[in-house]
Amino acid sequence: MMLLVDAGNSFVKWLPASPGQPLTVQGRCSIERNDLPQHLLSAWRDIPCPEKVVVASVAGNQLADAIRDAADQLWQLQPEFINSQRSFHGLVNDYAEPGRLGVDRLLGMLAAYRELGGPVLVIDCGSAVTVDLVGADGIFLGGVILPGITLACQSLAAGTANIDNCLPDGEIDTLAKTTACLLY
């Protein structure tokens, strides 16, 4: 069993993964937690010792250190951090500087391309919204990164006169029907 960790700009998510088993997120926590290193230790304490810990991170060094420390203290393992590169498991990263493409975007494109076996358009909505295109030959053709809902709302509130707060109170489940709250 491997422990897969996705360290994003808002949350850390993890799941134990075994061959042939469905992938289901087991836990998540905000990266804003003041007690994040201790929280990871507590949350991961009941996970059986994995063969390895594999991490996709766009969240920076402080979070990477917390993940390293937790894996070392719990299982005496050093996590493997995946990095974007020019060629990755059959996908060609044609980014101008391949290492600067977010690894989350690279992995999303790889998963979609492998699943569908042909050209794909991958749209991912999180802290940022990314739109990435992979050609039939597995070459990343380009993409765009835009502010996610929270960042877009903060920008609208700061940069317009008539939109004070467009953040919803709960989950977002429909298209906007008013400019008072653009998100539901």
Side-chain angles (χ1 to χ4, degrees), residues 19-31:
Q21 299 295 318
L23 299 178
T24 304
V25 171
Q26 179 176 327
R28 80 174 194 164
C29 66
S30 170
I31 66 166

Side-chain angles (χ1 to χ4, degrees), residues 11 19 21 29 34 40 42 52 66 81-82 95 100 102 104 107 127 131-132 135 143 148 155 158 161 165 171:
F11 293 95
Q21 299 295 318
C29 66
N34 292 332
L40 290 177
S42 175
K52 65 177 163 177
F81 284 78
I82 298 173
Y95 218 54
R100 293 190 49 93
D104 54 343
L107 292 172
S127 300
V131 180
D132 294 304
S155 178
N165 179 15
E171 292 294 319

Side-chain angles (χ1 to χ4, degrees), residues 153 156 162-168 174-184:
C153 284
L156 284 170
N162 293 320
I163 300 175
D164 295 327
N165 179 15
C166 64
L167 291 171
T174 61
L175 295 175
K177 295 181 181 174
T178 172
T179 55
C181 184
L182 300 175
L183 303 173
Y184 63 101

Side-chain angles (χ1 to χ4, degrees), residues 32-106:
E32 300 294 322
R33 291 182 68 110
N34 292 332
D35 66 340
L36 183 59
Q38 285 305 101
H39 182 77
L40 290 177
L41 279 171
S42 175
W44 293 358
R45 192 167 312 283
D46 294 331
I47 297 174
C49 182
E51 294 170 30
K52 65 177 163 177
V53 178
V54 180
V55 182
S57 178
V58 296
N61 293 333
Q62 187 174 4
L63 182 53
D65 289 344
I67 292 168
R68 280 187 192 95
D69 290 347
D72 182 48
Q73 286 183 46
L74 292 169
W75 309 298
Q76 294 73 51
L77 291 174
Q78 289 301 311
E80 173 187 338
F81 284 78
I82 298 173
N83 297 303
S84 291
Q85 47 198 293
R86 175 77 59 198
S87 179
F88 191 77
H89 297 276
L91 191 72
V92 177
N93 174 358
D94 205 20
Y95 218 54
E97 296 177 58
R100 293 190 49 93
L101 176 68
V103 70
D104 54 343
R105 294 172 68 187
L106 181 69

Side-chain angles (χ1 to χ4, degrees), residues 124-130 145-155 167 172 183:
D124 186 14
C125 301
S127 300
V129 175
T130 58
I145 186 167
L146 305 163
I149 290 170
T150 299
L151 292 173
C153 284
Q154 291 168 345
S155 178
L167 291 171
I172 300 162
L183 303 173

